[in-house]
Amino acid sequence: MGESEQGEQEENEAAGSFEDLISGIETEMNATRLHKQGAFAITAARISGTVFSEAMGSGVPFDLAKAMASDTWNAVMGLTPVDYVPVEAEDV
């Protein structure tokens, strides 16, 4: 094997090692990100559930307590709430 062929082989092996390293780091970072997102969603659910429970315990009607919890979930998760206007039976 000539020097140029050996040099190319070493470069290819180094490139393969680098790609393997980057791939491993990417996989680890994705797993960490997913774990953090899951923990964040669980915390948001607990906060929203607390809002609902406290509202119901304070005598707030069910539909309003549900809307309050939903608004809390949307705010914590950074979602844009969709305007919801209930249709009254007499309006139909």
Side-chain angles (χ1 to χ4, degrees), residues 20-39:
D20 292 342
L21 176 66
I22 294 300
S23 175
I25 291 171
E26 180 182 20
T27 300
E28 185 178 324
M29 289 176 69
N30 285 337
T32 300
R33 180 183 50 81
L34 184 60
H35 178 74
K36 286 180 180 179
Q37 286 176 331

Side-chain angles (χ1 to χ4, degrees), residues 4-92:
S4 63
E5 290 176 353
Q6 185 177 0
E8 283 181 31
Q9 183 179 2
E10 288 174 0
E11 285 179 21
N12 289 339
E13 288 174 4
S17 297
F18 180 74
E19 289 175 10
D20 292 342
L21 176 66
I22 294 300
S23 175
I25 291 171
E26 180 182 20
T27 300
E28 185 178 324
M29 289 176 69
N30 285 337
T32 300
R33 180 183 50 81
L34 184 60
H35 178 74
K36 286 180 180 179
Q37 286 176 331
F40 188 75
I42 289 169
T43 301
R46 287 179 178 160
I47 292 168
S48 299
T50 300
V51 168
F52 179 79
S53 297
E54 291 294 322
M56 290 296 294
S58 298
V60 173
F62 174 80
D63 288 337
L64 179 56
K66 184 178 172 184
M68 291 168 62
S70 178
D71 288 347
T72 301
W73 169 265
N74 289 332
V76 171
M77 294 301 291
L79 304 173
T80 305
V82 177
D83 290 336
Y84 171 72
V85 179
V87 177
E88 299 295 327
E90 58 200 41
D91 292 341
V92 178

